[in-house]
Amino acid sequence: MGNKKFNIAVAGATGAVGNQMLACLEERKFPVKSIKLLASSRSAGKKLRFKGDLLTVEELKEDSFKGMDIALFSAGGGTSERFAPCAAGDGCVVVDNSSAWRMNEDVPLVVPEVNPHAVAGYTKKGIIANPNCSTIQMVAALSPLHKEYKIKRIVVSTYQAVSGTGKKAVDELADQTRAVLNFMDCKNRVYPHRIAFNCLPHIDSFLDNGYTKEEMKMVNETRKILEDDTIPITATTVRVPVFYGHSESVNIETCKPIAAVDVKKMFENQPGILLVDDPDNNVYPLAIDAAGQDLTLVGRIRDDESVENGINMWIVADNIRKGAATNAVQIAELLAMEYL
Ligand code: NAP
Ligand code: 3JN
């Protein structure tokens, strides 16, 4: 990254993702010259630690980005829609974690291991979008297979951790679990039903086609990142009582003949991927192993015996790290290394 250092703003610094962004910048030794922590007026004045220093959170305002080089946003879609153009207008490149800009044709949607070249498109709007967490881990695994075998169809079901909904949902699962085990009343504040000891086939709001927004994010974002608008994809996204780590059951059909044994070999050497596949010894990807690190774990790889060229697999990653904060910081690293 040379010797250059950057002025960084983090919008949504007090949230689950924002907090992790600070940790990732620190862990990955991003060349930070200065850092500005931004959140809503509710959190203005709060102190957060970065590299041992206690920094004061400021209220996010239109002029917050003057003099900043890169802004990492994770403060919700509405906030990104309103403030990302302000940042870009002040010459600060935005890496946005929300869905607000992902499908805008002038905004690159980037997973660094998959389509790093797309970062170059940041000049159009000054914004780069970070995909949805469920999309990131799926395309990280499927991209090498698409290159080699051309994927004909994707069927995915997700098992998503509550941390994907933010801090309040993490507290809700903990509180409800305690309440159920103590035979006490359970309050549903974040989700429409109890999440403790339950699974909810409902993430984000329902659309007219019967899918949820989360499901359609997976469909549309995957096509954009793989640069192939034609792949048929169907998704069912489910919230499960897990704190950290999204798991996915993924079935693909390919145009070229494919065999599980070759797919396993391919995953032995893919950047960002860890093959975890030794079922005889009960070894397969687990959310508890994915949590707290940055690799996408892939296992349970087997030939789909119901179709001619089909593969089943189980893909797991830390939704707050690779699914959000780490991916955003990796994009910032690409910007810093090659473009700014
Ligand atoms: P969270 O824990 O609830 O945190 C929300 C953050 O946004 C807080 O820092 C909050 O500040 C800030 N915020 C809310 N409204 C604001 C406003 N009007 N102005 C300025 N700051 C505001 O949520 P989270 O889990 O970190 O997620 C945050 C966002 O990241 C989500 O809404 C989503 O867009 C995105 N996200 C993306 C992925 C992904 O799949 N890549 C995953 C999770 C989240 P206060 O402390 O002041 O309230
Ligand atoms: O629910 C999850 O596991 C991931 C959630 C992501 C999320 C939550 C609130 C708003 C998003 C997202 O990244 O798509 C958004 C949003 O920006 O639309």
Side-chain angles (χ1 to χ4, degrees), residues 12-18 39-43 60 74-77 79 97-99 102 130-133 163-167 319 323-324:
T14 52
V17 176
S40 78
S41 56
R42 294 179 292 274
S43 297
L60 170 59
S74 67
T79 308
N97 233 300
S98 81
S99 60
R102 287 180 193 149
N130 196 76
N132 179 271
C133 39
S163 51
T165 319
K167 269 180 164 177
N319 52 301

Side-chain angles (χ1 to χ4, degrees), residues 15-335:
V17 176
N19 246 291
Q20 187 59 50
M21 283 171 164
L22 297 177
C24 284
L25 287 167
E26 201 172 325
E27 270 173 36
R28 298 176 70 91
K29 299 187 173 34
F30 191 91
V32 175
K33 191 196 289 176
S34 74
I35 190 148
K36 191 185 248 195
L37 309 184
L38 302 164
S40 78
S41 56
R42 294 179 292 274
S43 297
K46 240 183 163 176
K47 305 265 187 205
L48 294 178
R49 207 168 273 285
F50 182 73
K51 287 191 179 171
D53 295 329
L54 270 181
L55 305 177
T56 306
V57 176
E58 297 172 39
E59 181 182 352
L60 170 59
K61 294 195 177 137
E62 284 170 5
D63 63 359
S64 295
F65 303 96
K66 287 198 188 331
M68 296 290 116
D69 300 306
I70 300 175
L72 304 178
F73 270 67
S74 67
T79 308
S80 296
E81 232 167 89
R82 176 166 167 213
F83 292 99
C86 303
D90 279 335
C92 167
V93 184
V94 172
V95 180
D96 181 35
N97 233 300
S98 81
S99 60
W101 299 94
R102 287 180 193 149
M103 297 312 297
N104 185 303
E105 61 181 26
D106 292 331
V107 172
L109 185 62
V110 177
V111 177
E113 297 86 345
V114 177
N115 61 341
H117 56 274
V119 167
Y122 83 91
T123 48
K124 291 185 194 151
K125 275 214 177 309
I127 302 172
I128 300 174
N130 196 76
N132 179 271
C133 39
S134 300
T135 309
I136 291 176
Q137 64 185 70
M138 186 169 80
V139 297
L142 295 191
S143 154
L145 299 179
H146 188 49
K147 278 193 195 120
E148 185 74 22
Y149 300 99
K150 190 160 174 38
I151 294 175
K152 197 156 77 176
R153 181 170 184 240
I154 303 172
V155 181
V156 53
S157 297
T158 69
Y159 304 68
Q160 296 184 216
V162 294
S163 51
T165 319
K167 269 180 164 177
K168 287 184 182 147
V170 171
D171 294 342
E172 178 145 311
L173 175 58
D175 292 346
Q176 290 185 349
T177 304
R178 258 191 304 273
V180 173
L181 290 175
N182 287 290
F183 307 102
M184 289 166 66
D185 273 352
C186 247
K187 302 234 166 16
N188 307 326
R189 294 194 173 90
V190 176
Y191 299 115
H193 305 280
R194 197 180 87 194
I195 183 64
F197 307 99
N198 203 7
C199 297
L200 309 179
H202 172 185
I203 298 184
D204 210 328
S205 42
F206 282 98
L207 299 165
D208 288 345
N209 65 358
Y211 285 80
T212 63
K213 271 194 188 168
E214 183 81 353
E215 288 160 353
M216 293 315 296
K217 284 173 192 172
M218 288 193 79
V219 171
N220 296 324
E221 294 175 17
T222 299
R223 288 180 178 150
K224 179 165 174 175
I225 297 162
L226 295 182
E227 297 170 358
D228 189 338
D229 280 343
T230 62
I231 306 179
I233 306 172
T234 187
T236 302
T237 56
V238 181
R239 187 73 64 196
V240 296
V242 165
F243 285 103
Y244 294 95
H246 286 2
S247 304
E248 298 178 345
S249 162
V250 178
N251 174 271
I252 57 164
E253 281 177 65
T254 54
C255 296
K256 294 190 190 160
I258 190 167
V261 63
D262 297 325
V263 172
K264 286 183 202 178
K265 266 196 211 116
M266 188 176 239
F267 283 137
E268 279 170 5
N269 288 309
Q270 285 303 324
I273 299 285
L274 182 66
L275 178 68
V276 184
D277 204 5
D278 182 9
D280 289 345
N281 290 304
N282 302 331
V283 173
Y284 28 72
L286 297 175
I288 53 173
D289 294 332
Q293 54 84 60
D294 291 323
L295 296 170
T296 298
L297 280 40
V298 187
R300 294 297 322 280
I301 297 165
R302 60 211 188 274
D303 296 310
D304 174 352
E305 296 184 341
S306 72
V307 290
E308 201 171 338
N309 295 312
I311 292 286
N312 286 308
M313 69 192 92
W314 182 248
I315 304 173
V316 185
D318 185 319
N319 52 301
I320 299 296
R321 291 183 67 110
K322 183 57 190 166
T326 305
N327 198 71
V329 172
Q330 285 176 311
I331 294 171
E333 287 170 355
L334 278 177
L335 268 172

